[in-house]
Amino acid sequence: MSGILDLLNSDLGKSIVNGVAGETNQPQNKTQDVLTMALPLLTAAMKRNANSPQGAEGLMNALNSKHDGSILDNLGSLFEGGVNADVINDGGNILGHVLGSKQQHIENTLGAKSGMDSNSVSQILKIAAPLLMGLLGKQTRQQNVNTPNDMGSLLGGLLAGNDSGHEQNFLESMLDADGDGSVIDDVAGMMLGGDKNKGGLGGVLGGLFGGK
């Protein structure tokens, strides 16, 4: 299965970047940088939440109802004339649920890394979150995901291909942005553990940040 960052290199991904950049009045390159950093973080945080039966059930219920993937079927109408306020509000709710008290810290750090103010980062994430849920909704149907284990495998597959290169310190600092050693740090462990093959997230983030 393709990783989450492969989405951004696809025609669909380019449409998303262009649409989000236009909606937030931000340069396309900076918008892509923010999405490249944010999508794996959001996916990993969802995977952490889905580690509990209740969390997995809640995610599957959302994917089987509101977030069925239809949002991705007509991106032109989504962005034409401005993204609907309901989508923005939904994105805010998703971020609050997935990131919790870390949301502001993560937005600030993404802003610092991308050279963008945190308010613009927040707007990008509020649009990206429902789109990510839509992608998961489509994947859930295509792969017949019916159990918490299936959901964990789906999310893990989207994060496959991580490397232990430049992105490790970045992700660890993102997920514990205020240095308090919060349990959300185990998201970094999930993203960086297991398969250490080159490419995927490591290649993209390593290229983005170089020796930073």
Side-chain angles (χ1 to χ4, degrees), residues 23-47:
E23 177 71 19
T24 57
N25 295 315
Q26 291 295 323
Q28 288 188 15
N29 62 328
K30 288 188 177 183
T31 301
Q32 179 155 356
D33 285 353
V34 170
L35 290 171
T36 298
M37 293 182 283
L39 288 177
L41 284 164
L42 292 175
T43 303
M46 288 180 184
K47 186 176 188 297

Short mmCIF file of all heavy atoms in Angstrom, two decimals, residues 23-47:
data_model
loop_
_atom_site.label_atom_id
_atom_site.label_comp_id
_atom_site.label_asym_id
_atom_site.label_seq_id
_atom_site.Cartn_x
_atom_site.Cartn_y
_atom_site.Cartn_z
N GLU A 23 -6.81 28.67 -0.62
CA GLU A 23 -7.75 28.95 0.46
C GLU A 23 -7.11 29.75 1.57
O GLU A 23 -7.75 30.61 2.19
CB GLU A 23 -8.29 27.62 1.01
CG GLU A 23 -9.23 27.75 2.19
CD GLU A 23 -10.59 28.33 1.81
OE1 GLU A 23 -10.94 28.29 0.61
OE2 GLU A 23 -11.30 28.80 2.71
N THR A 24 -5.83 29.49 1.84
CA THR A 24 -5.15 30.13 2.97
C THR A 24 -4.24 31.28 2.54
O THR A 24 -3.57 31.89 3.39
CB THR A 24 -4.31 29.09 3.75
OG1 THR A 24 -3.38 28.47 2.85
CG2 THR A 24 -5.21 28.03 4.37
N ASN A 25 -4.20 31.55 1.23
CA ASN A 25 -3.34 32.62 0.69
C ASN A 25 -1.87 32.44 1.07
O ASN A 25 -1.18 33.40 1.43
CB ASN A 25 -3.83 33.99 1.16
CG ASN A 25 -5.21 34.34 0.60
OD1 ASN A 25 -5.47 34.14 -0.58
ND2 ASN A 25 -6.08 34.84 1.47
N GLN A 26 -1.41 31.19 1.00
CA GLN A 26 -0.02 30.88 1.31
C GLN A 26 0.66 30.32 0.06
O GLN A 26 0.01 29.74 -0.80
CB GLN A 26 0.05 29.85 2.44
CG GLN A 26 -0.40 30.37 3.79
CD GLN A 26 0.49 31.47 4.31
OE1 GLN A 26 1.70 31.43 4.14
NE2 GLN A 26 -0.11 32.47 4.97
N PRO A 27 1.99 30.49 -0.04
CA PRO A 27 2.70 29.94 -1.19
C PRO A 27 2.54 28.42 -1.27
O PRO A 27 2.49 27.74 -0.24
CB PRO A 27 4.17 30.32 -0.92
CG PRO A 27 4.10 31.44 0.06
CD PRO A 27 2.89 31.20 0.89
N GLN A 28 2.51 27.90 -2.49
CA GLN A 28 2.32 26.47 -2.66
C GLN A 28 3.44 25.66 -2.03
O GLN A 28 3.20 24.61 -1.44
CB GLN A 28 2.19 26.13 -4.15
CG GLN A 28 0.88 26.58 -4.77
CD GLN A 28 0.70 26.06 -6.18
OE1 GLN A 28 1.40 25.15 -6.60
NE2 GLN A 28 -0.23 26.64 -6.92
N ASN A 29 4.70 26.16 -2.17
CA ASN A 29 5.81 25.38 -1.63
C ASN A 29 5.75 25.28 -0.11
O ASN A 29 6.00 24.22 0.48
CB ASN A 29 7.15 25.96 -2.08
CG ASN A 29 7.39 27.39 -1.59
OD1 ASN A 29 6.45 28.17 -1.44
ND2 ASN A 29 8.65 27.73 -1.36
N LYS A 30 5.38 26.38 0.55
CA LYS A 30 5.27 26.34 2.02
C LYS A 30 4.07 25.50 2.45
O LYS A 30 4.12 24.78 3.46
CB LYS A 30 5.15 27.76 2.59
CG LYS A 30 6.44 28.56 2.53
CD LYS A 30 6.31 29.88 3.27
CE LYS A 30 7.62 30.65 3.27
NZ LYS A 30 7.53 31.90 4.05
N THR A 31 2.99 25.59 1.69
CA THR A 31 1.82 24.77 1.99
C THR A 31 2.16 23.30 1.88
O THR A 31 1.78 22.49 2.74
CB THR A 31 0.66 25.11 1.03
OG1 THR A 31 0.33 26.50 1.17
CG2 THR A 31 -0.57 24.27 1.33
N GLN A 32 2.90 22.93 0.84
CA GLN A 32 3.29 21.53 0.69
C GLN A 32 4.21 21.09 1.82
O GLN A 32 4.11 19.97 2.31
CB GLN A 32 3.97 21.30 -0.66
CG GLN A 32 4.42 19.84 -0.85
CD GLN A 32 4.52 19.43 -2.29
OE1 GLN A 32 4.19 20.19 -3.19
NE2 GLN A 32 4.97 18.22 -2.52
N ASP A 33 5.12 21.98 2.24
CA ASP A 33 6.00 21.64 3.37
C ASP A 33 5.18 21.34 4.62
O ASP A 33 5.45 20.36 5.34
CB ASP A 33 6.97 22.80 3.66
CG ASP A 33 8.09 22.90 2.63
OD1 ASP A 33 8.20 22.01 1.78
OD2 ASP A 33 8.85 23.89 2.69
N VAL A 34 4.19 22.19 4.91
CA VAL A 34 3.36 21.99 6.10
C VAL A 34 2.61 20.67 6.00
O VAL A 34 2.58 19.87 6.95
CB VAL A 34 2.37 23.15 6.29
CG1 VAL A 34 1.35 22.83 7.38
CG2 VAL A 34 3.11 24.44 6.65
N LEU A 35 2.02 20.38 4.85
CA LEU A 35 1.27 19.14 4.68
C LEU A 35 2.20 17.92 4.75
O LEU A 35 1.83 16.88 5.30
CB LEU A 35 0.52 19.15 3.35
CG LEU A 35 -0.65 20.13 3.27
CD1 LEU A 35 -1.17 20.22 1.84
CD2 LEU A 35 -1.77 19.72 4.22
N THR A 36 3.41 18.05 4.22
CA THR A 36 4.37 16.95 4.26
C THR A 36 4.75 16.60 5.69
O THR A 36 4.97 15.43 6.02
CB THR A 36 5.64 17.32 3.45
OG1 THR A 36 5.28 17.53 2.09
CG2 THR A 36 6.68 16.22 3.51
N MET A 37 4.82 17.61 6.54
CA MET A 37 5.12 17.37 7.95
C MET A 37 3.90 16.92 8.72
O MET A 37 3.97 16.05 9.60
CB MET A 37 5.71 18.64 8.57
CG MET A 37 7.08 19.02 8.04
SD MET A 37 7.78 20.50 8.84
CE MET A 37 6.86 21.82 8.06
N ALA A 38 2.75 17.52 8.40
CA ALA A 38 1.56 17.33 9.23
C ALA A 38 0.85 16.01 8.99
O ALA A 38 0.35 15.39 9.93
CB ALA A 38 0.58 18.48 9.01
N LEU A 39 0.77 15.56 7.74
CA LEU A 39 -0.01 14.35 7.46
C LEU A 39 0.52 13.11 8.19
O LEU A 39 -0.27 12.36 8.76
CB LEU A 39 -0.09 14.12 5.95
CG LEU A 39 -0.97 15.11 5.18
CD1 LEU A 39 -0.90 14.83 3.68
CD2 LEU A 39 -2.42 15.05 5.66
N PRO A 40 1.84 12.87 8.21
CA PRO A 40 2.32 11.73 9.00
C PRO A 40 2.05 11.89 10.49
O PRO A 40 1.74 10.91 11.18
CB PRO A 40 3.82 11.69 8.70
CG PRO A 40 3.98 12.42 7.42
CD PRO A 40 2.93 13.49 7.44
N LEU A 41 2.18 13.11 11.00
CA LEU A 41 1.92 13.34 12.42
C LEU A 41 0.46 13.03 12.76
O LEU A 41 0.18 12.37 13.76
CB LEU A 41 2.24 14.79 12.78
CG LEU A 41 3.73 15.13 12.91
CD1 LEU A 41 3.94 16.63 12.88
CD2 LEU A 41 4.30 14.53 14.19
N LEU A 42 -0.46 13.51 11.94
CA LEU A 42 -1.88 13.26 12.20
C LEU A 42 -2.19 11.77 12.08
O LEU A 42 -2.95 11.22 12.88
CB LEU A 42 -2.74 14.06 11.22
CG LEU A 42 -2.71 15.58 11.39
CD1 LEU A 42 -3.52 16.25 10.28
CD2 LEU A 42 -3.26 16.00 12.75
N THR A 43 -1.60 11.13 11.07
CA THR A 43 -1.84 9.69 10.88
C THR A 43 -1.32 8.90 12.07
O THR A 43 -1.99 7.98 12.57
CB THR A 43 -1.17 9.21 9.58
OG1 THR A 43 -1.65 9.97 8.47
CG2 THR A 43 -1.49 7.74 9.33
N ALA A 44 -0.12 9.25 12.53
CA ALA A 44 0.47 8.54 13.67
C ALA A 44 -0.33 8.78 14.95
O ALA A 44 -0.51 7.87 15.77
CB ALA A 44 1.91 8.99 13.87
N ALA A 45 -0.82 9.99 15.14
CA ALA A 45 -1.63 10.28 16.32
C ALA A 45 -2.95 9.50 16.26
O ALA A 45 -3.43 9.00 17.29
CB ALA A 45 -1.90 11.77 16.42
N MET A 46 -3.53 9.38 15.06
CA MET A 46 -4.75 8.56 14.92
C MET A 46 -4.44 7.10 15.24
O MET A 46 -5.25 6.41 15.87
CB MET A 46 -5.29 8.68 13.49
CG MET A 46 -5.93 10.02 13.19
SD MET A 46 -6.55 10.10 11.49
CE MET A 46 -7.10 11.82 11.43
N LYS A 47 -3.28 6.63 14.81
CA LYS A 47 -2.90 5.25 15.09
C LYS A 47 -2.76 5.03 16.59
O LYS A 47 -3.18 3.99 17.12
CB LYS A 47 -1.58 4.90 14.38
CG LYS A 47 -1.18 3.42 14.51
CD LYS A 47 0.07 3.14 13.70
CE LYS A 47 0.36 1.65 13.67
NZ LYS A 47 0.65 1.07 14.99
#
